[in-house]
Amino acid sequence: SIAHEINQPLAAVITSGESCKRWINRAEPNLDEARRSLDRIIQNSARVSDVITCIRALSRQSEVQRQIEVFDEIVSDSLTLMQHDICMQQVRPHTQLGAPGARIQGDRIQLQQVIINLIVNACQAMANVHDRARTLRIQTSVQDNEAVLEITDSGTGIAEDILPSLFDPFFTTKPTGLGMGLSICRSIIEFHGGRIWVSSEVGVGTQFLFAIALMPVSHDE
């Protein structure tokens, strides 16, 4: 689980470092792009540090940092971290943040881990799509007093008989997968009192959704 959680941002650090080197080594160095690569290195390095801090806290049975957070901001920040990876995989993101001001109580880092994991999975699901656009739809909304996130890809889809096992530990459809990503996602969402589910159609795409209860609005607001 620990290896899985730190591998993604470390891989992003390596990719951004290689990109930075290429931008600098051009006949005419592109310093703006190099700076952007460095920004991504800093962001993902900080994320690794945050994950390790979270793991230390859990190992000491400390309280996770549950604070009042703006849901759309968590989603937006996660997308910023993944922007380069999405572009590199020739995926077209379509974002609709429809929960302005919606607040939840939770651990920002843990929830970003879930969102980033789902985005990575969506991009990987479209890696072999060549006959249509690789489209990633990310949408937030408020439904029945819950903040809801929907992440939909236009990949190859998942067979119906496999869907019930997707969140089981060590179950994976990837040749080199560990089968921990979605299990971790479910644990985090359930820890926040929420729920996570999936729907898919073979040959069309897959949609992952999770919902977390909104913070009650105080009478002073």
Side-chain angles (χ1 to χ4, degrees), residues 38-120:
L38 289 172
D39 285 341
R40 288 191 294 270
I41 289 173
I42 293 169
Q43 289 174 330
N44 282 287
S45 297
R47 188 169 154 243
V48 173
S49 177
D50 289 336
V51 169
I52 292 172
T53 298
C54 178
I55 291 167
R56 281 178 174 167
L58 290 172
S59 69
R60 295 171 183 165
Q61 297 183 342
S62 303
E63 283 293 321
V64 178
Q65 299 299 311
R66 300 182 78 168
Q67 300 176 350
I68 298 174
E69 302 279 1
V70 177
F71 189 66
D72 276 359
E73 289 181 1
I74 295 176
V75 177
S76 179
D77 288 349
S78 302
L79 284 169
T80 299
L81 288 172
M82 291 302 299
Q83 185 175 10
H84 178 70
D85 296 74
I86 292 171
C87 180
M88 289 292 289
Q89 297 186 60
Q90 298 180 321
V91 171
R92 299 179 186 175
H94 296 274
T95 306
Q96 184 177 352
L97 300 180
R103 297 184 301 170
I104 61 168
Q105 186 172 31
D107 185 289
R108 188 183 191 92
I109 300 302
Q110 285 196 342
L111 293 175
Q112 283 185 333
Q113 289 174 26
V114 173
I115 296 166
I116 289 171
N117 197 305
L118 294 178
I119 291 174
V120 168

Coordinates of all heavy atoms in Angstrom, one line a residue, residues 38-120:
L38 N 9.7 22.3 -13.3 CA 10.2 22.4 -11.9 C 9.1 22.6 -10.9 O 9.2 22.0 -9.8 CB 11.2 23.6 -11.8 CG 12.6 23.3 -12.5 CD1 13.4 24.6 -12.5 CD2 13.4 22.2 -11.8
D39 N 8.1 23.3 -11.3 CA 6.9 23.5 -10.4 C 6.3 22.2 -10.1 O 5.8 21.9 -9.0 CB 5.9 24.5 -11.0 CG 6.4 25.9 -10.9 OD1 7.3 26.2 -10.1 OD2 5.9 26.8 -11.7
R40 N 6.1 21.3 -11.2 CA 5.5 20.0 -11.0 C 6.4 19.1 -10.1 O 5.8 18.4 -9.3 CB 5.3 19.4 -12.4 CG 4.2 20.0 -13.2 CD 3.8 19.1 -14.4 NE 4.9 19.1 -15.3 CZ 5.0 19.9 -16.3 NH1 4.2 20.9 -16.5 NH2 6.0 19.8 -17.2
I41 N 7.7 19.3 -10.2 CA 8.6 18.5 -9.4 C 8.4 18.9 -7.9 O 8.3 18.0 -7.0 CB 10.1 18.7 -9.8 CG1 10.4 18.0 -11.1 CG2 11.0 18.2 -8.7 CD1 11.7 18.3 -11.7
I42 N 8.3 20.2 -7.7 CA 8.1 20.7 -6.3 C 6.7 20.2 -5.7 O 6.6 19.7 -4.6 CB 8.2 22.2 -6.3 CG1 9.6 22.7 -6.6 CG2 7.7 22.7 -4.9 CD1 9.7 24.1 -6.8
Q43 N 5.7 20.3 -6.6 CA 4.3 19.9 -6.1 C 4.3 18.4 -5.8 O 3.8 18.0 -4.7 CB 3.3 20.2 -7.2 CG 3.0 21.7 -7.4 CD 2.1 21.9 -8.6 OE1 2.1 21.2 -9.6 NE2 1.3 23.0 -8.5
N44 N 4.8 17.6 -6.7 CA 4.8 16.1 -6.4 C 5.7 15.7 -5.3 O 5.4 14.7 -4.6 CB 5.1 15.4 -7.7 CG 3.9 15.3 -8.7 OD1 2.9 14.6 -8.4 ND2 3.9 16.1 -9.7
S45 N 6.8 16.4 -5.2 CA 7.7 16.1 -4.0 C 7.0 16.4 -2.7 O 7.1 15.6 -1.7 CB 9.0 16.9 -4.1 OG 9.7 16.5 -5.3
A46 N 6.3 17.5 -2.7 CA 5.6 17.8 -1.5 C 4.5 16.8 -1.2 O 4.2 16.5 -0.1 CB 4.9 19.2 -1.7
R47 N 3.9 16.3 -2.3 CA 2.9 15.3 -2.1 C 3.4 14.0 -1.5 O 2.8 13.4 -0.6 CB 2.2 14.9 -3.4 CG 1.0 14.0 -3.3 CD 0.2 14.0 -4.6 NE -0.5 12.7 -4.6 CZ -0.3 11.7 -5.4 NH1 0.5 11.9 -6.4 NH2 -1.0 10.6 -5.4
V48 N 4.6 13.6 -2.0 CA 5.3 12.4 -1.4 C 5.5 12.7 0.1 O 5.2 11.8 1.0 CB 6.7 12.1 -2.0 CG1 7.4 11.0 -1.3 CG2 6.4 11.7 -3.5
S49 N 6.0 13.8 0.5 CA 6.2 14.2 1.9 C 4.9 14.1 2.7 O 4.9 13.6 3.8 CB 6.8 15.6 2.0 OG 7.0 16.0 3.3
D50 N 3.8 14.6 2.1 CA 2.5 14.6 2.8 C 2.1 13.1 3.0 O 1.5 12.8 4.0 CB 1.5 15.4 2.0 CG 1.7 16.9 2.0 OD1 2.4 17.3 3.0 OD2 1.3 17.6 1.1
V51 N 2.3 12.3 2.0 CA 1.9 10.9 2.1 C 2.6 10.2 3.2 O 2.1 9.5 4.0 CB 2.1 10.1 0.8 CG1 1.9 8.6 1.0 CG2 1.1 10.6 -0.3
I52 N 3.9 10.5 3.3 CA 4.8 9.9 4.3 C 4.3 10.4 5.7 O 4.3 9.6 6.7 CB 6.3 10.2 4.1 CG1 6.7 9.4 2.8 CG2 7.1 9.8 5.3 CD1 8.1 9.8 2.3
T53 N 4.0 11.7 5.8 CA 3.5 12.2 7.1 C 2.2 11.5 7.5 O 2.1 11.2 8.7 CB 3.3 13.7 6.9 OG1 4.6 14.4 6.6 CG2 2.8 14.3 8.2
C54 N 1.4 11.3 6.5 CA 0.1 10.6 6.8 C 0.3 9.2 7.3 O -0.3 8.8 8.2 CB -0.8 10.6 5.5 SG -2.3 9.8 5.7
I55 N 1.3 8.5 6.6 CA 1.6 7.1 7.0 C 2.1 7.1 8.4 O 1.8 6.2 9.2 CB 2.5 6.5 6.0 CG1 1.8 6.3 4.6 CG2 3.1 5.1 6.5 CD1 2.7 5.9 3.5
R56 N 3.0 8.0 8.7 CA 3.6 8.1 10.1 C 2.5 8.3 11.1 O 2.5 7.7 12.2 CB 4.6 9.2 10.2 CG 6.0 8.9 9.6 CD 6.9 10.0 9.6 NE 8.2 9.7 9.2 CZ 9.2 10.6 8.9 NH1 8.9 11.9 9.0 NH2 10.4 10.2 8.5
A57 N 1.6 9.2 10.8 CA 0.5 9.5 11.7 C -0.4 8.2 11.9 O -0.8 7.9 13.1 CB -0.4 10.6 11.2
L58 N -0.7 7.5 10.8 CA -1.5 6.3 11.0 C -0.7 5.2 11.8 O -1.3 4.5 12.6 CB -1.8 5.7 9.6 CG -2.8 6.6 8.8 CD1 -2.9 6.0 7.4 CD2 -4.2 6.6 9.4
S59 N 0.6 5.1 11.6 CA 1.4 4.1 12.3 C 1.4 4.4 13.8 O 1.6 3.5 14.6 CB 2.8 4.0 11.7 OG 3.5 5.2 12.0
R60 N 1.3 5.7 14.1 CA 1.3 6.1 15.5 C -0.1 6.2 16.1 O -0.4 6.6 17.2 CB 2.0 7.4 15.7 CG 3.5 7.4 15.4 CD 4.0 8.8 15.3 NE 5.4 8.8 14.9 CZ 6.1 9.9 14.6 NH1 5.5 11.0 14.5 NH2 7.4 9.8 14.2
Q61 N -1.1 5.7 15.2 CA -2.5 5.8 15.6 C -2.9 7.2 16.0 O -3.7 7.4 16.9 CB -2.8 4.8 16.8 CG -2.5 3.4 16.4 CD -2.9 2.4 17.5 OE1 -3.0 2.8 18.7 NE2 -3.0 1.1 17.2
S62 N -2.3 8.2 15.2 CA -2.7 9.6 15.5 C -4.0 9.9 14.7 O -4.4 9.1 13.8 CB -1.6 10.5 15.0 OG -0.4 10.2 15.7
E63 N -4.6 11.0 15.0 CA -5.7 11.4 14.3 C -5.3 11.9 12.9 O -4.4 12.7 12.7 CB -6.4 12.6 15.0 CG -7.2 12.1 16.2 CD -8.4 11.3 15.8 OE1 -9.1 11.6 14.8 OE2 -8.7 10.3 16.5
V64 N -6.1 11.5 11.9 CA -5.9 12.0 10.5 C -6.3 13.5 10.5 O -7.2 13.9 11.3 CB -6.7 11.2 9.5 CG1 -6.5 11.8 8.1 CG2 -6.2 9.7 9.5
Q65 N -5.7 14.3 9.7 CA -6.0 15.7 9.7 C -7.3 16.0 9.0 O -7.3 16.4 7.8 CB -4.8 16.5 9.0 CG -3.5 16.3 9.7 CD -3.5 16.8 11.1 OE1 -4.0 18.0 11.3 NE2 -3.1 16.0 12.0
R66 N -8.4 15.8 9.7 CA -9.7 16.1 9.1 C -10.1 17.5 9.4 O -10.2 18.0 10.5 CB -10.8 15.2 9.7 CG -10.4 13.7 9.5 CD -11.5 12.8 10.0 NE -12.7 12.7 9.1 CZ -13.6 11.8 9.2 NH1 -13.6 10.9 10.2 NH2 -14.7 11.9 8.4
Q67 N -10.2 18.3 8.3 CA -10.5 19.7 8.4 C -11.6 20.0 7.5 O -12.0 19.2 6.6 CB -9.3 20.5 8.1 CG -8.1 20.3 9.0 CD -6.8 21.1 8.6 OE1 -6.8 21.6 7.5 NE2 -5.8 21.1 9.4
I68 N -12.2 21.2 7.7 CA -13.2 21.7 6.7 C -12.6 22.1 5.4 O -11.7 23.0 5.4 CB -14.1 22.8 7.3 CG1 -14.8 22.3 8.6 CG2 -15.1 23.4 6.3 CD1 -15.5 23.4 9.4
E69 N -13.0 21.5 4.3 CA -12.4 21.8 3.0 C -13.4 22.1 2.0 O -14.6 21.6 2.1 CB -11.6 20.6 2.5 CG -10.4 20.1 3.5 CD -9.2 21.0 3.3 OE1 -9.2 21.9 2.5 OE2 -8.2 20.7 4.0
V70 N -13.1 22.9 1.0 CA -14.0 23.2 -0.1 C -13.8 22.0 -1.2 O -12.7 21.9 -1.7 CB -13.7 24.5 -0.8 CG1 -14.6 24.8 -2.0 CG2 -13.9 25.7 0.2
F71 N -14.8 21.3 -1.4 CA -14.7 20.1 -2.3 C -14.1 20.4 -3.6 O -13.2 19.7 -4.1 CB -16.1 19.5 -2.4 CG -16.1 18.1 -3.0 CD1 -15.5 17.0 -2.4 CD2 -16.7 17.9 -4.3 CE1 -15.5 15.8 -3.0 CE2 -16.7 16.7 -4.9 CZ -16.1 15.6 -4.2
D72 N -14.6 21.4 -4.3 CA -14.2 21.7 -5.7 C -12.7 22.1 -5.7 O -12.0 21.8 -6.7 CB -15.0 22.9 -6.3 CG -16.3 22.4 -6.9 OD1 -16.5 21.2 -6.9 OD2 -17.0 23.2 -7.4
E73 N -12.2 22.7 -4.6 CA -10.8 23.1 -4.5 C -9.9 21.8 -4.5 O -8.8 21.8 -5.1 CB -10.5 24.0 -3.4 CG -11.1 25.4 -3.5 CD -10.8 26.3 -2.4 OE1 -10.1 25.8 -1.4 OE2 -11.3 27.4 -2.4
I74 N -10.3 20.8 -3.7 CA -9.6 19.6 -3.7 C -9.5 18.9 -5.0 O -8.4 18.5 -5.5 CB -10.2 18.6 -2.7 CG1 -10.2 19.1 -1.2 CG2 -9.5 17.2 -2.7 CD1 -10.9 18.3 -0.2
V75 N -10.6 18.9 -5.8 CA -10.6 18.3 -7.1 C -9.7 19.2 -8.1 O -8.9 18.6 -8.8 CB -12.1 18.3 -7.6 CG1 -12.1 17.7 -9.1 CG2 -12.9 17.4 -6.7
S76 N -9.9 20.5 -8.0 CA -9.1 21.3 -8.9 C -7.6 21.2 -8.6 O -6.8 21.1 -9.6 CB -9.5 22.8 -8.6 OG -8.8 23.7 -9.5
D77 N -7.2 21.1 -7.4 CA -5.7 21.0 -7.1 C -5.2 19.6 -7.6 O -4.1 19.5 -8.1 CB -5.5 21.1 -5.6 CG -5.7 22.5 -5.1 OD1 -5.8 23.4 -5.9 OD2 -5.7 22.7 -3.8
S78 N -6.0 18.6 -7.5 CA -5.6 17.3 -8.0 C -5.4 17.3 -9.5 O -4.5 16.7 -10.0 CB -6.7 16.2 -7.6 OG -6.9 16.2 -6.2
L79 N -6.3 18.0 -10.2 CA -6.2 18.1 -11.6 C -5.0 18.9 -12.0 O -4.3 18.5 -13.0 CB -7.5 18.8 -12.2 CG -8.7 18.0 -12.3 CD1 -9.9 18.9 -12.6 CD2 -8.6 16.9 -13.3
T80 N -4.6 19.9 -11.3 CA -3.4 20.6 -11.5 C -2.2 19.7 -11.5 O -1.3 19.8 -12.3 CB -3.2 21.8 -10.5 OG1 -4.3 22.7 -10.7 CG2 -1.9 22.6 -10.8
L81 N -2.1 18.9 -10.5 CA -1.0 17.9 -10.3 C -0.9 16.9 -11.5 O 0.2 16.5 -11.9 CB -1.1 17.2 -9.0 CG -0.9 17.9 -7.7 CD1 -1.2 17.1 -6.5 CD2 0.6 18.4 -7.7
M82 N -2.1 16.6 -12.1 CA -2.1 15.6 -13.1 C -2.1 16.2 -14.5 O -2.2 15.4 -15.5 CB -3.4 14.7 -12.9 CG -3.4 13.8 -11.7 SD -1.9 12.7 -11.7 CE -2.3 11.8 -13.2
Q83 N -2.1 17.5 -14.6 CA -2.3 18.1 -16.0 C -1.2 17.6 -17.0 O -1.5 17.3 -18.1 CB -2.2 19.6 -15.8 CG -2.5 20.4 -17.1 CD -2.5 21.9 -16.8 OE1 -2.2 22.4 -15.8 NE2 -3.0 22.6 -17.8
H84 N 0.0 17.6 -16.5 CA 1.1 17.1 -17.4 C 0.9 15.7 -17.9 O 1.0 15.4 -19.1 CB 2.4 17.3 -16.7 CG 3.6 16.9 -17.6 ND1 4.0 17.6 -18.7 CD2 4.4 15.8 -17.4 CE1 5.1 17.0 -19.2 NE2 5.3 15.9 -18.5
D85 N 0.6 14.8 -17.0 CA 0.4 13.4 -17.3 C -0.8 13.2 -18.3 O -0.7 12.4 -19.2 CB 0.1 12.6 -16.0 CG 1.3 12.6 -15.1 OD1 1.5 13.7 -14.4 OD2 2.1 11.6 -15.0
I86 N -1.9 13.9 -18.0 CA -3.0 13.8 -18.9 C -2.6 14.3 -20.3 O -3.0 13.6 -21.3 CB -4.2 14.7 -18.4 CG1 -4.7 14.1 -17.1 CG2 -5.3 14.9 -19.4 CD1 -5.7 15.0 -16.3
C87 N -1.9 15.4 -20.4 CA -1.5 15.9 -21.7 C -0.5 14.9 -22.4 O -0.7 14.6 -23.6 CB -0.8 17.2 -21.6 SG -0.2 18.0 -23.1
M88 N 0.4 14.3 -21.7 CA 1.4 13.4 -22.3 C 0.7 12.1 -22.8 O 1.2 11.5 -23.8 CB 2.4 13.0 -21.2 CG 3.4 14.1 -20.8 SD 4.5 14.5 -22.1 CE 5.6 13.1 -22.1
Q89 N -0.4 11.7 -22.3 CA -1.1 10.6 -22.7 C -2.2 10.9 -23.8 O -3.0 10.0 -24.1 CB -1.7 9.8 -21.5 CG -0.7 9.3 -20.6 CD -1.2 8.4 -19.5 OE1 -1.8 7.4 -19.7 NE2 -1.0 8.8 -18.2
Q90 N -2.2 12.1 -24.3 CA -3.1 12.6 -25.3 C -4.5 12.4 -24.9 O -5.4 11.9 -25.7 CB -2.8 11.8 -26.6 CG -1.3 12.1 -27.1 CD -1.0 11.4 -28.4 OE1 -1.4 10.2 -28.6 NE2 -0.3 12.0 -29.3
V91 N -4.8 12.7 -23.7 CA -6.2 12.7 -23.2 C -6.8 14.1 -23.1 O -6.1 15.0 -22.8 CB -6.2 12.0 -21.8 CG1 -7.6 12.2 -21.1 CG2 -5.8 10.6 -21.9
R92 N -8.0 14.2 -23.6 CA -8.7 15.5 -23.5 C -9.6 15.6 -22.3 O -10.6 14.9 -22.2 CB -9.6 15.6 -24.8 CG -8.9 15.6 -26.1 CD -9.8 15.7 -27.3 NE -9.2 15.5 -28.6 CZ -9.9 15.5 -29.7 NH1 -11.2 15.6 -29.7 NH2 -9.2 15.3 -30.8
P93 N -9.2 16.4 -21.3 CA -10.0 16.6 -20.1 C -11.1 17.6 -20.3 O -11.0 18.6 -21.0 CB -9.0 17.1 -19.1 CG -8.0 17.9 -19.9 CD -7.9 17.2 -21.3
H94 N -12.3 17.2 -19.8 CA -13.4 18.1 -19.8 C -13.9 18.2 -18.3 O -14.4 17.2 -17.8 CB -14.6 17.6 -20.7 CG -14.2 17.5 -22.1 ND1 -14.3 18.6 -23.0 CD2 -13.7 16.5 -22.9 CE1 -13.9 18.2 -24.2 NE2 -13.5 17.0 -24.1
T95 N -13.7 19.4 -17.8 CA -14.0 19.6 -16.3 C -15.2 20.5 -16.1 O -15.3 21.5 -16.7 CB -12.8 20.2 -15.6 OG1 -11.6 19.4 -15.9 CG2 -13.0 20.2 -14.1
Q96 N -16.1 20.0 -15.2 CA -17.2 20.8 -14.8 C -17.4 20.8 -13.3 O -17.8 19.8 -12.8 CB -18.5 20.3 -15.5 CG -19.7 21.2 -15.2 CD -21.0 20.7 -15.9 OE1 -20.9 19.8 -16.8 NE2 -22.1 21.3 -15.6
L97 N -16.9 21.8 -12.7 CA -17.0 21.9 -11.2 C -18.3 22.5 -10.8 O -18.5 23.8 -10.9 CB -15.8 22.7 -10.7 CG -14.4 22.1 -11.0 CD1 -13.3 23.0 -10.4 CD2 -14.3 20.7 -10.5
G98 N -19.2 21.7 -10.4 CA -20.6 22.2 -10.2 C -21.0 22.1 -8.7 O -22.2 22.0 -8.4
A99 N -20.0 22.2 -7.8 CA -20.3 22.2 -6.4 C -19.7 23.4 -5.7 O -19.0 23.3 -4.7 CB -19.9 20.9 -5.8
P100 N -19.9 24.6 -6.3 CA -19.2 25.8 -5.7 C -19.6 26.0 -4.2 O -20.7 26.1 -3.9 CB -19.6 27.0 -6.6 CG -20.9 26.5 -7.2 CD -20.8 25.0 -7.3
G101 N -18.6 26.2 -3.4 CA -18.8 26.5 -2.0 C -19.2 25.3 -1.2 O -19.3 25.4 0.1
A102 N -19.4 24.1 -1.8 CA -19.7 22.9 -1.0 C -18.5 22.5 -0.2 O -17.4 22.3 -0.7 CB -20.1 21.8 -2.0
R103 N -18.8 22.3 1.1 CA -17.7 22.0 2.0 C -17.9 20.6 2.7 O -19.0 20.2 3.0 CB -17.6 23.1 3.1 CG -17.3 24.5 2.6 CD -17.1 25.5 3.7 NE -18.3 25.6 4.5 CZ -18.4 26.3 5.7 NH1 -17.3 26.8 6.1 NH2 -19.5 26.3 6.3
I104 N -16.8 20.0 2.9 CA -16.8 18.7 3.6 C -15.8 18.7 4.7 O -15.0 19.6 4.8 CB -16.5 17.6 2.6 CG1 -15.0 17.8 2.0 CG2 -17.5 17.4 1.4 CD1 -14.5 16.6 1.3
Q105 N -15.9 17.7 5.5 CA -14.8 17.5 6.5 C -14.0 16.3 6.2 O -14.5 15.2 6.1 CB -15.4 17.4 7.9 CG -14.4 17.4 9.0 CD -15.0 17.4 10.4 OE1 -16.1 16.9 10.6 NE2 -14.3 18.0 11.4
G106 N -12.7 16.5 6.0 CA -11.9 15.4 5.6 C -10.4 15.7 5.5 O -10.0 16.8 5.8
D107 N -9.6 14.7 5.2 CA -8.2 14.8 5.1 C -7.9 15.1 3.6 O -8.1 14.3 2.7 CB -7.5 13.6 5.5 CG -6.0 13.7 5.5 OD1 -5.4 13.8 4.4 OD2 -5.4 13.7 6.5
R108 N -7.4 16.3 3.3 CA -7.2 16.8 1.9 C -6.3 15.9 1.2 O -6.5 15.5 0.0 CB -6.7 18.2 2.0 CG -6.6 18.9 0.6 CD -6.0 20.3 0.7 NE -6.1 21.0 -0.5 CZ -7.1 21.8 -0.8 NH1 -8.1 22.0 0.1 NH2 -7.2 22.5 -1.9
I109 N -5.2 15.5 1.8 CA -4.2 14.6 1.1 C -4.8 13.3 0.8 O -4.6 12.8 -0.4 CB -2.9 14.5 2.0 CG1 -2.3 15.8 2.3 CG2 -1.9 13.6 1.3 CD1 -1.9 16.6 1.1
Q110 N -5.5 12.7 1.7 CA -6.0 11.4 1.4 C -7.0 11.4 0.2 O -7.1 10.6 -0.6 CB -6.7 10.8 2.6 CG -5.8 10.3 3.7 CD -6.5 9.4 4.7 OE1 -7.7 9.4 4.8 NE2 -5.7 8.6 5.4
L111 N -7.9 12.5 0.2 CA -8.9 12.6 -0.8 C -8.2 12.9 -2.2 O -8.7 12.4 -3.2 CB -9.9 13.7 -0.5 CG -10.8 13.4 0.7 CD1 -11.7 14.6 1.1 CD2 -11.6 12.1 0.4
Q112 N -7.1 13.7 -2.2 CA -6.4 13.9 -3.4 C -5.8 12.6 -3.9 O -5.7 12.3 -5.1 CB -5.3 14.9 -3.2 CG -5.8 16.3 -3.1 CD -4.7 17.4 -3.0 OE1 -3.6 17.1 -2.5 NE2 -4.9 18.5 -3.5
Q113 N -5.3 11.7 -3.0 CA -4.8 10.4 -3.4 C -5.9 9.6 -4.2 O -5.6 9.0 -5.2 CB -4.4 9.6 -2.2 CG -3.1 10.1 -1.5 CD -2.8 9.4 -0.2 OE1 -3.2 8.3 0.0 NE2 -2.1 10.1 0.7
V114 N -7.1 9.7 -3.7 CA -8.2 9.0 -4.3 C -8.4 9.5 -5.7 O -8.5 8.8 -6.7 CB -9.5 9.1 -3.5 CG1 -10.7 8.5 -4.3 CG2 -9.3 8.3 -2.2
I115 N -8.5 10.8 -5.8 CA -8.9 11.5 -7.1 C -7.8 11.2 -8.1 O -8.0 10.9 -9.3 CB -9.1 13.0 -6.9 CG1 -10.3 13.3 -6.0 CG2 -9.2 13.7 -8.3 CD1 -10.4 14.7 -5.5
I116 N -6.5 11.4 -7.7 CA -5.4 11.1 -8.6 C -5.3 9.7 -9.1 O -5.1 9.4 -10.2 CB -4.1 11.6 -7.9 CG1 -4.0 13.1 -7.8 CG2 -2.8 11.0 -8.7 CD1 -2.9 13.6 -7.0
N117 N -5.6 8.8 -8.1 CA -5.6 7.4 -8.5 C -6.7 7.1 -9.5 O -6.4 6.3 -10.5 CB -5.9 6.5 -7.2 CG -5.5 5.1 -7.4 OD1 -6.0 4.4 -8.3 ND2 -4.7 4.6 -6.5
L118 N -7.9 7.7 -9.4 CA -8.9 7.4 -10.3 C -8.6 8.0 -11.7 O -8.9 7.5 -12.8 CB -10.2 8.0 -9.8 CG -10.8 7.3 -8.5 CD1 -12.1 8.0 -8.1 CD2 -11.1 5.8 -8.8
I119 N -7.9 9.2 -11.7 CA -7.5 9.8 -13.0 C -6.5 9.0 -13.7 O -6.6 8.8 -14.9 CB -7.0 11.3 -12.7 CG1 -8.2 12.2 -12.3 CG2 -6.4 11.8 -14.0 CD1 -7.7 13.6 -11.9
V120 N -5.5 8.5 -12.9 CA -4.5 7.6 -13.5 C -5.1 6.4 -14.1 O -4.8 6.0 -15.2 CB -3.4 7.2 -12.4 CG1 -2.5 6.1 -12.9 CG2 -2.6 8.4 -12.0

